[in-house]
Amino acid sequence: MKRVLSGIQPTADSFHLGNYLGAIRQWVALQDSHDAFYCVVDLHALTVDVDPKVLTERTLASVAQLIALGVDPNRCTIFVQSQVSAHNQLGWVMECLAGFGEASRMTQFKDKSQKAGADRTTVGLFTYPLLQAADIMLYGANLVPVGEDQRQHIELTRDLGQRFNTRYGETLVIPEAQIMKAGAKINDLQDPSAKMSKSAASQAGVIDILDEANVNIKKIKSAVTDMGKEIRFDEKEKPGISNLLTILSHLGGKSIPALEAEFAGSGYGDFKMAVANTVADYFAPVRTRTQQLLTERSELLAIIEAGAKKAEVVASDTLARVYANMGLLPRHR
Ligand code: AQP
């Protein structure tokens, strides 16, 4: 079986629709056909200032949401990054392989550091793609299911893996990004030119999957739409409507042409209401299940511990081969 790895940051109380449609939905689909490792990357969440108690709760809520969304600990390995120390250790190796110039070209860093300003931008934010490269290659992942925004980081991972193999001999598996054609980028409902993001300045255009139905219905009803009246998929002329069509198509299971036909002659109001109701119905059981898992805390912690143990076996084996091939002395067991 081919190996899959992907991760998500516990940087908010809830995942948003973009995280689900761009990434987690693929995680669920791949867990039966692949040997899948999915992690909550809490070390990456430290790249921005966060209250310790909040981080703990968000990490647990992230695992609970993954399970509620269909990531099944009996069919894949779910774990928390900081519990497997090999991530930091291979991360350092990646930092020593990467050039300052190539790390500086990462557009996510440029965007986020520009928003935060130089004084509030951490070195960790700069090096996070290198830790991400380690996250992936520790597990010998062939495939990394992610949203479009991660394409550049996976390219960097491939470059670093190839560089390592050239210098030190074939050691690391070179992964490929799996990015879906549709749904890979869900945009902000208030600014359809920007991706929906947990760290968006305003939450008005972000659909959190754990929010109550009425909150999301209100957000979708006030989504920015475009000139004209037609419900038509045209990302250039009608980015707002196209974004809503993408969401409705994925959650409702109908193709975009079928939806265009269904809503021909309808107004934006009716269309938005249909999107809002579909979103509310889709995520209502996820919300209930997440809350239930969070109340069964000891069971959730047991799942996390079991995941870390399974991850540790694979990760420490890769790290040992990397260290040996680089000439580092074997560690005492
Ligand atoms: N808007 C999006 N559309 C499609 N996919 C998306 N992803 C994120 N936003 C969208 C995918 O979700 C996975 C997990 O993302 P992450 O938590 O690692 O961080 P991110 O990509 O930086 O997402 P956010 O929401 O913007 O988080 P913050 O604000 O904390 O940085 C990834 O596979 C990503 O592609």
Side-chain angles (χ1 to χ4, degrees):
M1 259 192 187
K2 287 206 166 174
R3 181 80 46 86
V4 162
L5 178 125
S6 199
I8 189 156
Q9 304 187 55
T11 35
D13 297 334
S14 168
F15 295 149
H16 58 69
L17 203 50
N19 297 137
Y20 177 62
L21 292 181
I24 301 166
R25 202 167 41 121
Q26 299 195 74
W27 297 16
V28 176
L30 289 167
Q31 65 189 342
D32 288 325
S33 53
H34 289 74
D35 182 15
F37 286 75
Y38 298 129
C39 59
V40 173
V41 286
D42 54 346
L43 294 172
H44 291 290
L46 297 176
T47 55
V48 289
D49 192 23
V50 58
D51 178 87
K53 285 201 185 78
V54 171
L55 179 60
T56 305
E57 290 313 312
R58 285 178 173 175
T59 302
L60 293 173
S62 297
V63 177
Q65 284 174 90
L66 290 178
I67 297 171
L69 286 165
V71 178
D72 179 353
N74 296 314
R75 284 143 73 205
C76 67
T77 304
I78 306 181
F79 67 102
V80 172
Q81 181 194 29
S82 64
Q83 296 191 325
V84 182
S85 50
H87 287 254
N88 300 81
Q89 292 166 298
L90 188 61
W92 175 250
V93 173
M94 292 299 136
E95 286 183 33
C96 295
L97 271 184
F100 185 77
E102 69 185 337
S104 308
R105 282 194 288 278
M106 296 298 111
T107 53
Q108 276 217 18
F109 174 74
K110 286 192 212 164
D111 291 349
K112 288 188 178 176
S113 57
Q114 208 168 31
K115 276 189 209 155
D119 289 345
R120 295 187 57 216
T121 299
T122 63
V123 174
L125 186 68
F126 181 68
T127 56
Y128 119 79
L130 309 172
L131 181 57
Q132 185 180 9
D135 299 338
I136 296 167
M137 289 192 287
L138 266 182
Y139 297 90
N142 308 94
L143 215 60
V144 190
V146 283
E148 180 62 42
D149 59 322
Q150 290 291 337
R151 187 186 291 277
Q152 195 187 26
H153 290 169
I154 311 303
E155 276 305 316
L156 176 66
T157 303
R158 291 172 56 83
D159 290 346
L160 294 173
Q162 275 151 356
R163 194 170 307 156
F164 187 97
N165 288 349
T166 308
R167 277 193 205 164
Y168 302 107
E170 282 301 315
T171 316
L172 298 169
V173 175
I174 309 302
E176 265 181 52
Q178 173 155 310
I179 300 173
M180 284 182 304
K181 284 205 182 77
K185 187 172 175 224
I186 300 297
N187 290 326
D188 188 286
L189 300 190
Q190 289 299 320
D191 175 8
S193 66
K195 75 159 190 162
M196 192 176 281
S197 173
K198 294 189 217 93
S199 57
S202 155
Q203 289 300 297
V206 179
I207 297 296
D208 281 337
I209 65 173
L210 293 184
D211 265 349
E212 293 201 29
N214 60 347
V215 174
N216 282 335
I217 290 174
K218 210 169 147 200
K219 283 184 182 174
I220 294 168
K221 276 164 75 181
S222 29
V224 164
T225 40
D226 320 287
M227 299 285 281
K229 292 191 244 170
E230 263 177 295
I231 315 293
R232 179 167 54 84
F233 190 87
D234 180 341
E235 281 178 309
K236 224 166 157 200
E237 299 294 325
K238 289 177 161 279
I241 291 294
S242 302
N243 195 33
L244 292 175
L245 272 169
T246 304
I247 293 169
L248 184 57
S249 165
H250 285 300
L251 296 183
K254 289 183 188 168
S255 70
I256 289 185
L259 290 173
E260 287 173 331
E262 186 178 330
F263 288 96
S266 304
Y268 283 169
D270 288 345
F271 171 61
K272 282 178 172 179
M273 209 51 229
V275 179
N277 287 332
T278 303
V279 168
D281 291 349
Y282 195 93
F283 291 112
V286 174
R287 190 165 170 266
T288 310
R289 178 79 180 115
T290 303
Q291 283 165 347
Q292 187 194 1
L293 284 160
L294 285 171
T295 56
E296 299 159 356
R297 206 163 166 120
S298 54
E299 283 165 45
L300 193 60
L301 289 170
I303 291 173
I304 294 171
E305 192 185 329
K309 281 189 183 144
K310 276 164 75 184
E312 177 78 45
V313 174
V314 180
S316 56
D317 178 61
T318 307
L319 185 72
R321 283 185 287 112
V322 165
Y323 274 15
N325 291 357
M326 294 183 88
L328 298 169
L329 295 182
R331 290 189 299 167
H332 294 293
R333 293 264 161 207

